[in-house]
């Protein structure tokens, strides 16, 4: 059984425990996230959400969150949702392109939220019916401040391949 399948089983019993396990596993799965303080807050069928604090390791020279930390949080959040539907092993995924618009300074903790339109996941599912199939689509993620202010919006062009 894949690790993410175990987390899904745990999520059925305790979503908070599943989020904690994912938060603790994140630096082991993606070492560059170590020290950023990214916390998984939600992963469901339609939405994923993570938290990125402003702290010494994420702060830039002007006192807001460093660009790389924000992009990492957005990509990880997008990946959690995509891999929930298309788990590693049977599927392989790459980000081929990213488009980002920054709207405001990240002066404190921010939240990355991935809620793609249902058509995006349905299109992937339709295109990936058998081994060897490939699909590509844009997956949006927004970054919000604690007060709900939109800090950034990103679109990830995700390429999936069914093994």
């Amino acid at each position: 059984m894949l690790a993410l399948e175990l987390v899904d089983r745990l999520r059925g019993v305790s979503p908070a425990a599943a989020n904690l396990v994912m938060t603790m596993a994140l630096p082991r799965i993606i070492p560059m996230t170590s020290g950023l303080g990214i916390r998984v807050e939600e992963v469901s069928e339609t939405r994923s959400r993570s938290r990125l604090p402003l702290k010494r390791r994420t702060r830039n020279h002007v006192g807001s969150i460093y660009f790389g930390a924000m992009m990492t949080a957005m990509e990880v959040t997008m990946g959690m949702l995509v891999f929930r539907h298309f788990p590693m092993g049977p599927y392989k995924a790459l980000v081929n392109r990213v488009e980002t618009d920054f709207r405001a300074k990240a002066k404190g903790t921010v939240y990355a939220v991935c809620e793609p339109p249902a058509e995006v996941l349905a299109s992937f599912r339709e295109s990936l019916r058998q081994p060897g199939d490939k699909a590509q689509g844009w997956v949006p993620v927004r970054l919000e401040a604690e007060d709900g202010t939109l800090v950034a919006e990103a679109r990830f062009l995700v390429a999936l391949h069914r093994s």
Side-chain angles (χ1 to χ4, degrees), residues 10-144:
L10 180 58
R11 191 170 307 287
V13 176
S14 172
N19 292 342
L20 179 61
V21 168
M22 283 295 294
T23 295
M24 292 172 64
L26 196 56
R28 287 163 181 78
I29 298 167
I30 307 168
M32 73 165 289
T33 63
S34 180
L36 294 180
I38 296 172
R39 294 202 183 276
V40 177
E41 295 212 328
E42 177 185 353
V43 181
S44 69
E45 288 295 312
T46 58
R47 172 182 154 108
S48 61
R49 183 174 192 249
S50 67
R51 177 181 185 272
L52 176 67
L54 174 63
K55 59 184 205 167
R56 188 186 67 75
R57 287 193 128 182
T58 62
R59 185 176 298 130
N60 63 21
H61 64 286
V62 294
S64 59
I65 296 179
Y66 171 64
F67 167 81
M70 290 189 287
M71 289 304 298
T72 299
M74 288 192 284
E75 183 181 15
V76 163
T77 303
M78 176 275 303
M80 287 187 298
L81 186 65
V82 169
F83 285 125
R84 178 174 171 89
H85 289 274
F86 307 97
M88 294 177 277
Y91 298 92
K92 298 199 179 350
L94 288 173
V95 173
N96 283 342
R97 185 173 176 178
V98 180
E99 295 177 355
T100 309
D101 291 317
F102 291 93
R103 310 275 186 208
K105 268 187 171 181
K107 298 177 186 176
T109 296
V110 292
Y111 299 86
V113 181
C114 181
E115 291 179 292
E119 307 83 60
V120 172
L121 297 173
S123 173
F124 284 150
R125 211 170 280 110
E126 180 70 27
S127 300
L128 299 168
R129 292 181 181 234
Q130 52 192 329
D133 286 350
K134 295 178 182 179
Q136 183 168 270
W138 289 99
V139 179
V141 181
R142 67 184 182 277
L143 196 66
E144 302 170 342

